[in-house]
Amino acid sequence: MRIGFGYDVHRLVEGRRLVLCGAEIPYELGLLGHSDADVAAHALMDAVLGALALGDIGHLFPDADVRYKNADSMKLLEQVIEKMTNAGYALENLDITIIAEKPKLAPYIVKMRENLAAAFGCELDRVSVKATTEEGLGLGGAGIGANAVVLLKNKQI
Ligand code: MG
């Protein structure tokens, strides 16, 4: 077994889409970033890469590279999953906490879990996505953050 952790934050701005775990969420603000700024997918990719000691997404998909401008982060996740598979590992389970004062994410949680389960090709009950606020004490609505942990199992064992 291997455990990995990932963390990311992106700023909320006008004129951008809000995409979390591949689910587009209607809101007047969206996340700023070189890619689609899917902060939850980014934290998850860093968790998978961390479990495998394969660096981080900034290293794998550099901001300076035009190929990743407005990139679909779920497509980048597919590349990370391919690395995981090639390293001989499969997902045991993952757990993501998204930190957002607004908007309310509850209506989109199932869609996010379905998107991730499809990407990993695994059962829905291996994939957990949760959302919390920081009671106005942290990012305070200026951005959205995400933490992710994954447990990977060696397919040889
Ligand atoms: Mg990011």
Side-chain angles (χ1 to χ4, degrees), residues 4 14 64 112 136 149:
E14 288 179 358
M112 292 186 217
V149 289

Side-chain angles (χ1 to χ4, degrees), residues 1-2 52 84 87-92 151-157:
M1 293 285 192
R2 282 186 167 237
L52 299 167
M84 176 191 79
Y89 283 83
L91 180 75
E92 181 63 28
L151 191 65
L152 308 183
K153 59 174 180 271
N154 191 305
K155 289 185 289 184
Q156 266 48 265
I157 298 167

Side-chain angles (χ1 to χ4, degrees), residues 103-124:
K104 284 284 170 223
L105 298 177
Y108 309 101
I109 293 289
V110 171
K111 178 65 182 157
M112 292 186 217
R113 292 178 62 214
E114 286 172 350
N115 288 347
L116 297 178
F120 279 92
C122 72
E123 304 88 340
L124 197 59

Side-chain angles (χ1 to χ4, degrees), residues 57-122:
I57 56 167
H59 169 82
L60 206 61
F61 310 115
D63 271 10
D65 192 326
V66 291
R67 278 181 300 168
Y68 305 121
K69 179 137 180 66
N70 295 318
D72 176 351
S73 294
M74 293 299 284
K75 291 267 181 274
L76 305 182
L77 176 62
E78 283 174 20
Q79 292 184 43
V80 169
I81 291 170
E82 195 179 327
K83 284 184 179 296
M84 176 191 79
T85 305
N86 291 343
Y89 283 83
L91 180 75
E92 181 63 28
N93 74 301
L94 69 86
D95 186 19
I96 296 174
T97 299
I98 300 170
I99 303 151
E101 292 301 324
K102 278 195 207 173
K104 284 284 170 223
L105 298 177
Y108 309 101
I109 293 289
V110 171
K111 178 65 182 157
M112 292 186 217
R113 292 178 62 214
E114 286 172 350
N115 288 347
L116 297 178
F120 279 92
C122 72

Side-chain angles (χ1 to χ4, degrees), residues 8-10 38-39 42 57:
D8 196 18
V9 177
H10 281 263
D38 184 335
V39 67
H42 291 185
I57 56 167

